């Protein structure tokens, strides 16, 4: 396979990122790829925030993966800055070939470079392969993740 | 009991916040209250980031609770902005009296005000009471939370 590049997402990548987010058992019901304005506005909010690092993995000019890294300073754990990984997606025809590992390894190294001493993420409990995947990369499944959607 | 005020933390609150963080079965091993410089520097990083909202709950001039709210814009879930609650602590003599509920209810309303459509948090799996507490407030324990500490 040709070389992989992991780089900051541009506005021109938004449609490809949304397609990746939607091409997923859980994402299919959550996303609305036919509403690009919503995602363009969200992209603008992301790039306006220096704590957010939305990246794509590109191979042969195509976006084949994405993730978002958020850097969060805080007081707990001796003033630890932590990073949170969200929205990890790998294109269908790249799955099982190591791109997920490359993305997470990149995110961990980038977190260290940005001053984080702790990396965290949550994964839907129904993603049964994810636990093994993250544990193999050294993550510890020590926490329960709670969500509360806010209605109108 | 006299009135409770939830307000942004000032630099003068840092020692009280650290005392709350440390007065906890897990926090006791993680914090270093005798090293105020570390926490003051962390406080400065927190207040320099407009996405971070570190608050204290004050009663009769004493800090009796704390939490940190982080606002994270993103593309997934139709461009949802989410908030993350971290570092929730209630003073020992206020435990079991509803302050935790007041703090989380405040954080949910503040999240909504800040434009978030999803609130999330993780809780150490060993905190057995926490699950019931958050579920009673409407949170769903749908995720597994992973952490990776970064060594030197």
């Amino acid at each position: 396979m040709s070389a992989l590049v992991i780089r900051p997402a541009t506005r021109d990548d938004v449609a490809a990122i949304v397609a990746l987010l939607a091409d997923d058992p859980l994402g299919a019901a959550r996303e609305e790829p036919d509403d690009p304005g919503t995602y363009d506005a969200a992209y603008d909010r992301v790039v306006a925030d220096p704590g957010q690092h939305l990246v794509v993995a590109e191979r042969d000019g195509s976006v084949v993966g994405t993730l978002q890294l958020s850097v969060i300073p805080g007081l707990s754990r001796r003033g630890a800055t932590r990073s949170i990984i969200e929205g990890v997606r790998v294109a269908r025809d790249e799955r099982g070939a190591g791109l997920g590992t490359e993305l997470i390894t990149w995110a961990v190294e980038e977190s260290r470079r940005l001053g984080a001493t702790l990396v965290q993420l949550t994964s839907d409990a129904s993603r049964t392969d994810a636990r093994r995947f993250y544990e193999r990369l050294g993550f510890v499944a020590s926490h329960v993740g709670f969500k509360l959607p806010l209605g109108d």
Side-chain angles (χ1 to χ4, degrees), chain A:
Chain A
M1 274 202 261
S2 52
L4 186 81
V5 177
I6 297 176
R7 59 164 177 80
T10 70
R11 216 161 190 277
D12 290 340
D13 296 317
V14 171
I17 295 171
V18 175
L20 287 177
L21 292 173
D23 186 19
D24 173 88
L26 297 174
R30 285 181 192 150
E31 306 301 339
E32 196 72 78
D34 295 337
D35 183 11
T38 295
Y39 292 101
D40 283 345
Y43 175 80
D44 291 344
R45 289 193 292 273
V46 170
V47 293
D49 181 340
Q52 308 307 320
H53 305 268
L54 177 66
V55 301
V56 293
E58 185 180 282
R59 198 191 304 279
D60 291 332
S62 291
V63 169
V64 293
T66 182
L67 66 75
Q68 181 174 339
L69 197 63
S70 303
V71 177
I72 300 187
L75 260 59
S76 64
R77 297 175 183 247
R78 304 180 196 192
T81 292
R82 55 186 88 196
S83 72
I84 295 182
I85 301 173
E86 282 278 1
V88 181
R89 291 292 188 285
V90 168
R92 197 169 282 268
D93 60 3
E94 291 256 0
R95 288 178 200 166
L99 176 52
T101 298
E102 284 198 66
L103 275 168
I104 300 298
T105 303
W106 177 89
V108 169
E109 286 313 308
E110 185 69 2
S111 297
R112 198 190 300 269
R113 202 183 65 78
L114 292 165
T117 54
L118 182 68
V119 183
Q120 58 191 56
L121 60 91
T122 67
S123 180
D124 195 290
S126 71
R127 297 189 193 276
T128 46
D129 288 350
R131 180 166 179 147
R132 219 166 27 231
F133 171 73
Y134 288 115
E135 287 182 336
R136 206 167 54 231
L137 291 169
F139 286 82
V140 180
S142 52
H143 282 59
V144 180
F146 296 86
K147 288 194 197 287
L148 175 70
L150 300 181
D152 296 323

